[in-house]
Amino acid sequence: MTVPNPDFPDVMTWIFDGSGKAVSLDADEFASWIPAGPEGQFAWQHLRLEASGTVPLLRAGGLDEFVIDALTADETRPRCTVHGDGVILNLRGVNLQEGQPPEDMISVRLWLTENKIIGVWRRPLDAVADMLAAIDRGQAPKSPGDFVARLALRLADRAEPAITDLNERVDDLEEALLEANAEISRSELAAIRRSSIVLRRYLVPQRDALTTLEIEDVPWLQPHDRSRLREASERIYRIGEDLAAVRERVQIIHDQLMDERAERMNSRMLVLSVVSAVFLPLGLVAGVLGINVAGIPGAESPHAFWVVCALLVALGGMLLGVARWLGMFR
């Protein structure tokens, strides 16, 4: 198996000896497998949801319908539910596949017991590939609790670059905002804000799920495992804070754009107001003098036109002076 390759087989089955080593196991032998070696042995089977043999393998493993429905649901949100002697744990990871948006998060569904882990996946997840790479290096998880803690930390590791990318995009927009006549795409702002909202919508419940698992009275969770689960939940909490900060920064940029747009519009309206204030009286005077009735002063004088033009220029200058005195020009 080439581990980082995201094209996982439909079924992967491993036995861990509790010391960091693992060996593969035939899928049909998983249901009847029981720890027979050194203390701390456990097994992991990872199944593709759409594979035809997935549900039969789940039933062969002795899972009841409640657990099977939870593992095969069409849509899942991060959660942790204690059921009998096991735990249903749904987690989400960012989508790092080429050409895919990170906020299109990928689910991993787990059924955890003292010596068995059953996982179901719909799309390949890089955090699981990281786990497989660690197995190939001889650094396999040493207990089911260690498995969950490592997976949760890997999910956080994989999420952080996506958050960094969002922050860098916001940084670029903030720098562009400082430039004169900067053109900032409102669609880019909307895309960043949407990404931060969707990511946070899944990561916040994920922190709650890990915190729930940490405090549950599960006998096979060791203090060290609980400590690492706490660390994973705190990292996800910090990621959630970063996403909230990204959303707030985007909102500030949007508000500044709207303020600048309103200021430009107000400036243009001010110019129109000044023009109207100046030319409306001039138009009134010209209209009165232009009516075609007898008795217009100066109608017979050859110099009356130039006198009227001079008076209009003087009136216009006076109106401009009044507008400047009133502060209409800045």
Side-chain angles (χ1 to χ4, degrees):
M1 175 188 297
T2 304
V3 171
N5 189 344
D7 298 327
F8 300 148
D10 290 347
V11 183
M12 295 181 290
T13 308
W14 298 86
I15 296 177
F16 303 90
D17 63 2
S19 65
K21 297 180 181 180
V23 294
S24 61
L25 180 70
D26 186 76
D28 296 332
E29 299 177 6
F30 178 81
S32 59
W33 178 86
I34 58 174
E39 184 179 358
Q41 269 194 338
F42 67 100
W44 169 38
Q45 188 171 70
H46 210 49
L47 308 169
R48 186 170 70 89
L49 179 60
E50 284 80 7
S52 58
T54 293
V55 174
L57 284 174
L58 293 175
R59 290 200 172 98
L63 276 62
D64 60 31
E65 291 301 320
F66 178 81
V67 177
I68 293 175
D69 289 343
L71 293 178
T72 59
D74 292 334
E75 293 294 333
T76 63
R77 288 180 64 85
R79 67 161 179 163
C80 175
T81 303
V82 177
H83 180 70
D85 60 349
V87 174
I88 299 171
L89 182 65
N90 291 339
L91 300 176
R92 288 259 181 167
V94 296
N95 189 348
L96 298 179
Q97 298 180 27
E98 186 176 356
Q100 298 296 321
E103 64 270 16
D104 183 22
M105 301 190 74
I106 300 173
S107 66
V108 56
R109 306 104 181 270
L110 300 172
W111 168 249
L112 306 161
T113 61
E114 184 177 2
N115 51 39
K116 283 188 178 182
I117 299 172
I118 299 177
V120 175
W121 61 279
R122 170 167 282 171
R123 291 178 291 170
L125 190 59
D126 287 353
V128 176
D130 294 338
M131 298 282 289
L132 296 175
I135 292 173
D136 277 0
R137 294 194 304 268
Q139 299 173 345
K142 299 179 180 180
S143 67
D146 186 35
F147 178 96
V148 176
R150 290 191 186 198
L151 179 61
L153 289 169
R154 288 295 184 184
L155 291 173
D157 288 339
R158 290 292 186 170
E160 286 175 349
I163 311 307
T164 301
D165 179 66
L166 287 179
N167 276 302
E168 289 176 352
R169 290 165 65 184
V170 176
D171 291 339
D172 293 340
L173 292 175
E174 288 177 338
E175 290 179 4
L177 192 63
L178 298 176
E179 300 176 2
N181 300 321
E183 292 293 334
I184 295 180
S185 172
R186 295 179 63 184
S187 61
E188 174 72 1
L189 281 175
I192 295 174
R193 187 175 184 182
R194 178 183 179 277
S195 296
S196 64
I197 291 174
V198 174
L199 286 170
R200 194 168 188 272
R201 186 176 67 188
Y202 284 108
L203 289 176
V204 170
Q206 185 146 309
R207 171 181 176 253
D208 296 338
L210 294 174
T211 301
T212 300
L213 179 60
E214 176 204 342
I215 64 176
E216 284 290 351
D217 187 17
V218 181
W220 43 265
L221 273 181
Q222 303 300 318
H224 176 69
D225 301 332
R226 298 180 188 275
S227 176
R228 297 193 69 189
L229 286 172
R230 188 181 309 113
E231 178 185 352
S233 64
E234 288 176 355
R235 287 182 63 180
I236 293 174
Y237 175 74
R238 290 194 296 270
I239 291 174
E241 287 186 327
D242 290 341
L243 289 171
V246 167
R247 186 176 59 181
E248 292 174 0
R249 291 171 65 191
V250 169
Q251 184 62 43
I252 291 173
I253 294 174
H254 181 268
D255 292 343
Q256 289 179 319
L257 286 176
M258 293 298 101
D259 290 344
E260 290 183 1
R261 177 173 295 184
E263 186 174 349
R264 288 196 297 268
M265 184 173 293
N266 290 337
S267 298
R268 293 167 184 169
M269 293 300 296
L270 180 61
V271 172
L272 291 176
S273 300
V274 171
V275 171
S276 300
V278 170
F279 285 95
L280 184 61
L282 300 181
L284 176 62
V285 173
V288 171
L289 295 179
I291 59 178
N292 191 19
V293 295
I296 298 298
E300 305 298 330
S301 173
H303 304 292
F305 173 76
W306 299 108
V307 171
V308 170
C309 287
L311 290 174
L312 291 176
V313 170
L315 178 60
M318 182 186 68
L319 292 173
L320 286 174
V322 172
R324 184 179 297 275
W325 179 71
L326 292 175
M328 298 182 72
F329 295 106
R330 293 185 175 88

